[in-house]
Amino acid sequence: MLGANGPESWIWWSWVGDHLGDIGTAVREHLELTAIAVALGLVIALPLAIVVHRWRAWTTPVFAVTGIVYTIPSLALFAFFVPVTGLSRTTAEIALVGYTLLILIRNTATGLAGVSPDVREAAQGMGFGPVAQLLRVELPLAVPAVIAGIRIATVTTIGLVTVTALIGQGGLGDFILDGLNRDFKTPLVVGTVLSVALAVTADLLLLLLQHALTPWSRRRTA
């Protein structure tokens, strides 16, 4: 019965209370793995998105490579790197970063392409060179699209981090794996519910950040 205090219930609250420290550690590990992956992905994706935007000949190869990486099953991608980097955090992060690239590059390039030609002409008329135009006009106006990409990449990565438990890299996936291995519902529910909660919370926080950074995009009330 849901909520009953016993090992056969969906939530055995006594077990949860005894493992609060482990749960806190798993949440911290999950957040660390996600933050590192999205941050590194953004560092790589921004220059590539600018290249794609400025030089269209690069569009097909960049999207082809990142698209192929995105379609590779996570376990297969982990297995590909394990012989080189072992069962390590590096292996996990290489794969996680790879999955963020297509999303981040595509959204950023779309945001840059959406800047009005009139705005670019006005910037040129004010004496802005290509670099100043990019940094002071195009990228700020592309912020909503960039953050939309970060939101998707973050939520996706939070889900993928659960799989890193299979190579011993912790996170909430440890509880899910433990629950499956022992047919023990409580850790399975704890890992699943907290993963979903992290994804929803991260998405809402990034949405608030987008509103704070783009006051011009808010609807004006009558």
Side-chain angles (χ1 to χ4, degrees), residues 73-117:
S74 55
L75 286 179
L77 197 55
F78 289 147
F80 179 81
F81 289 108
V82 164
V84 180
T85 52
L87 299 174
S88 66
R89 174 166 286 198
T90 300
T91 298
E93 291 295 358
I94 290 173
L96 293 173
V97 169
Y99 287 123
T100 68
L101 295 180
L102 178 64
I103 299 167
L104 294 173
I105 294 171
R106 178 173 290 171
N107 275 67
T108 303
T110 299
L112 291 171
V115 177
S116 170

Side-chain angles (χ1 to χ4, degrees), residues 141-201:
L141 290 176
V143 164
V146 174
I147 295 184
I150 294 173
R151 288 171 61 193
I152 297 170
T154 300
V155 171
T156 301
T157 303
I158 288 173
L160 288 171
V161 167
T162 59
V163 184
T164 63
L166 294 172
I167 59 171
Q169 291 310 301
L172 293 167
D174 274 351
F175 290 111
I176 296 174
L177 186 61
D178 179 51
L180 291 172
N181 287 337
R182 294 196 289 153
D183 192 22
F184 184 15
K185 298 182 183 69
T186 297
L188 180 62
V189 171
V190 168
T192 302
V193 170
L194 288 180
S195 295
V196 173
L198 286 182
V200 172
T201 302

Side-chain angles (χ1 to χ4, degrees), residues 12 17 22 43 49 61 88-89 94 117 125 131 141 149 175 203 208 217 221:
W12 185 17
D22 294 332
V43 168
S88 66
R89 174 166 286 198
I94 290 173
V131 175
L141 290 176
F175 290 111
D203 189 54
L208 291 174
S217 67
T221 56

